[in-house]
Amino acid sequence: MVDNNDQKQLEKFYNDATAQYYFDKLKELVAIKSVFAQNIGLDDAAHYLVTLFEEAGADVVLDDSFAAPFVMATFASQKADAKTLVFYNHYDVQPADSDQIWTAAPFTLDVRDGYMYGRGVDDDKGHIVARLTGVQKYRKVVTELPVNIIFIIEGAEESASVDLEKYLAKYQPELSKAELLVWEQGIFNAQGQMELSGGTKGIVTFDAVVESAEVDIHSKFGGVIDSSSWYLINALSSLRAADGRILVDGIYDGVTPPTARELDLVHQFAYIESEDLRDLYDLKLPFLTDDKAELLKRLFFEPSLTIQGLSTGYQGQGVKTIIPCQASAKLEVRLVPGMEPHDVLTKIEKQLQKNGFDKVKLIYTLGEEGYRSDMTAPAILNTIDIAKKFSPKGVAVLPTTAGTGPMHQVFAALEVPIVSFGLGNPNSRDHGGDENAKMADYYTHIEMIEELIKSYE
């Protein structure tokens, strides 16, 4: 059932010519399959954005010096002392392959029952177009902007923002003058409150590979010959305790502990309950901790080790009695401030050797550091005050999220206060099938961007 506020927002959206025009543009952008991991559609998406922003009146730079084209679109204010507002977004999306279930074609924006569905509607193409719509709605009424607005849009965020730091260094003189950087996305939480956050976890991803023989061996030798499969399983098991703690010497030593304010914000505004997670994902296994405070601490302020996938042996029809000669796994460690990706991988490698598993070869794939803010910068406090006008059920302020993004890279390069807010919801299914966002929240985001610009008058 659509509540009264949602219904009001939907009516305004459908009667707003500017919003309708750009929503059609969003449909076209979603239709571009732009997946960095598969090297598909990046040029198409970048060039589409160049055209879109140039038609909107922006001064646009398309820089394809590195792995994925970088788009920078500037709307300049005529005020001599105008401050600068930066929007960070990305046009690359996750794959939407046959391993996921979609109700409609994933690269077609589908609207039904007050929601829009499609790959990228929340992460992150919907935010790009909603923010541009907010800028254009303001300019339609006032004409002259009271603040410089710069969109920076990368194409490799879903792959640890490859080469982003090179683009940031190149355009640092323009971008470091900003008073505020608005991060890619955010959600309305389970209580219907707009969530504003100031951080992301980091990550290091890597492959673990074992080769135990030149060829697969007849399984009659299973009692006397070790297999790559068992060797790798035992090696990985040695790295994690039953309660989820990482059993790697020194891995927690450099972790930056949360401040009292950061802990307070999470306990006050992180509306995450184990039962809600159980229902949302239909969980079959018990949680690694039953304590609410411990759950929040681990989720926001501690690293975690995850096996993304395992591959070994015969997986075809019927039976093949072998001892597999090869086994591999894809893994990740979610990092928090104070942890560096290559250093973490080195510690894991040393631990495996110490545990007697020197035959495991680790291959680094991606990595980025974590970042968090205590949310006290004046420009962030101004944004929080504005958010209260657009979130009747209140706002939730968090120093970080449990997700990962290149926020550390951006802050290290620009040293600009960063705040994240957006149009998603707890079940937007980012990276999964039927990725979605509420239409009412999409229009609320448009209005908030317009109001944020007004606050600089």
Side-chain angles (χ1 to χ4, degrees):
M1 179 180 294
V2 179
D3 67 28
N4 291 335
N5 185 66
D6 284 357
Q7 186 61 47
K8 179 182 70 174
Q9 292 301 94
L10 285 172
E11 289 174 0
K12 287 194 291 184
F13 168 72
Y14 285 113
N15 287 293
D16 187 326
T18 303
Q20 290 301 302
Y21 174 82
Y22 281 105
F23 192 66
D24 286 339
K25 298 300 182 182
L26 176 58
K27 292 177 182 177
E28 295 173 359
L29 184 58
V30 168
I32 300 173
K33 187 178 181 180
S34 48
V35 182
F36 182 90
Q38 299 172 343
N39 195 25
I40 296 173
L42 301 180
D43 286 339
D44 292 340
H47 281 90
Y48 182 88
L49 289 170
V50 169
T51 300
L52 182 66
F53 277 92
E54 284 182 341
E55 290 178 349
D59 180 18
V60 184
V61 172
L62 173 62
D63 190 334
D64 58 1
S65 301
F66 304 106
F70 180 80
V71 178
M72 186 168 74
T74 302
F75 295 91
S77 171
Q78 298 303 308
K79 289 175 57 178
D81 60 346
K83 295 178 179 179
T84 298
L85 180 64
V86 175
F87 293 116
Y88 161 83
N89 291 98
H90 62 91
Y91 60 79
D92 64 308
V93 298
Q94 283 284 338
D97 297 330
S98 58
D99 60 324
Q100 296 179 338
I101 298 174
W102 287 82
T103 305
F107 292 98
T108 299
L109 197 157
D110 182 44
V111 178
R112 59 184 186 273
D113 302 324
Y115 285 77
M116 57 178 174
Y117 295 82
R119 178 58 86 223
V121 294
D122 182 50
D123 187 16
D124 180 45
K125 294 176 178 179
H127 287 85
I128 297 172
V129 177
R131 290 170 181 180
L132 175 57
T133 306
V135 173
Q136 293 301 82
K137 278 176 59 64
Y138 182 91
R139 295 175 73 215
K140 188 174 181 179
V141 175
V142 182
T143 306
E144 291 296 337
L145 289 169
V147 61
N148 300 309
I149 297 174
I150 304 176
F151 284 78
I152 55 172
I153 310 172
E154 65 154 313
E157 192 276 341
E158 300 293 3
S159 294
S161 294
V162 175
D163 291 326
L164 175 61
E165 71 281 359
K166 298 174 183 176
Y167 286 121
L168 293 172
K170 191 172 182 178
Y171 298 103
Q172 193 265 355
E174 297 99 309
L175 300 172
S176 62
K177 299 173 184 176
E179 173 170 273
L180 179 69
L181 187 145
V182 178
W183 199 246
E184 54 164 327
Q185 64 176 130
I187 67 168
F188 286 80
N189 64 24
Q191 279 64 43
Q193 300 172 326
M194 187 186 299
E195 192 172 279
L196 297 98
S197 59
T200 55
K201 279 191 170 181
I203 195 170
V204 58
T205 66
F206 57 99
D207 296 337
V209 180
V210 173
E211 185 173 310
S212 59
E214 289 188 6
V215 296
D216 294 338
I217 301 170
H218 196 295
S219 62
K220 67 183 180 183
F221 293 107
V224 294
I225 295 178
D226 201 358
S227 74
S228 61
S229 307
W230 280 114
Y231 190 91
L232 182 59
I233 289 170
N234 290 331
L236 299 182
S237 296
S238 75
L239 297 176
R240 200 184 82 151
D243 67 353
R245 297 280 294 176
I246 303 174
L247 301 177
V248 173
D249 292 346
I251 199 164
Y252 292 96
D253 290 352
V255 168
T256 302
T259 66
R261 173 174 167 76
E262 289 168 346
L263 282 170
D264 181 65
L265 287 174
V266 164
H267 283 280
Q268 186 176 355
F269 293 118
Y271 296 102
I272 298 174
E273 299 292 341
S274 57
E275 286 306 310
D276 292 337
L277 292 173
R278 193 184 307 279
D279 293 342
L280 179 61
Y281 296 110
D282 192 20
L283 298 179
K284 305 296 192 298
L285 300 177
F287 282 86
L288 295 173
T289 178
D290 294 322
D291 182 75
K292 175 66 176 294
E294 182 67 16
L295 183 152
L296 293 175
K297 183 181 177 184
R298 290 192 189 186
L299 188 60
F300 289 98
F301 303 119
E302 292 187 355
S304 60
L305 172 64
T306 299
I307 300 172
Q308 299 175 346
L310 290 165
S311 178
T312 187
Y314 179 68
Q315 302 296 326
Q317 183 177 354
V319 174
K320 189 176 183 181
T321 52
I322 60 167
I323 298 173
C325 67
Q326 292 184 332
S328 63
K330 290 186 176 294
L331 299 106
E332 68 175 53
V333 179
R334 294 283 169 147
L335 311 179
V336 294
M339 304 177 76
E340 195 279 326
H342 289 91
D343 177 67
V344 167
L345 193 59
T346 297
K347 286 183 169 69
I348 294 172
E349 190 171 44
K350 289 180 178 179
Q351 189 66 48
L352 286 171
Q353 293 172 354
K354 178 181 178 180
N355 294 350
F357 297 104
D358 60 311
K359 299 297 189 295
V360 179
K361 180 181 179 182
L362 301 186
I363 303 169
Y364 175 94
T365 50
L366 297 169
E368 55 194 13
E369 296 183 48
Y371 170 80
R372 67 175 179 260
S373 162
D374 65 3
M375 305 294 281
T376 58
I380 294 178
L381 295 177
N382 174 59
T383 306
I384 293 170
D385 287 340
I386 293 169
K388 294 173 182 177
K389 303 176 185 178
F390 294 94
S391 188
K393 297 180 181 179
V395 299
V397 181
L398 297 171
T400 188
T401 67
T404 289
M407 198 177 285
H408 176 272
Q409 288 174 261
V410 174
F411 184 81
L414 307 181
E415 297 186 347
V416 172
I418 302 174
V419 65
S420 180
F421 60 92
L423 53 90
N425 62 74
N427 196 26
S428 278
R429 302 172 70 96
D430 295 356
H431 298 198
D434 277 353
E435 180 180 341
N436 67 85
K438 288 173 64 175
M439 296 300 301
D441 294 341
Y442 175 79
Y443 192 72
T444 295
H445 193 71
I446 292 171
E447 290 189 315
M448 181 164 167
I449 295 302
E450 187 179 8
E451 188 66 24
L452 179 61
I453 296 169
K454 285 181 182 178
S455 72
Y456 287 90
E457 290 177 350

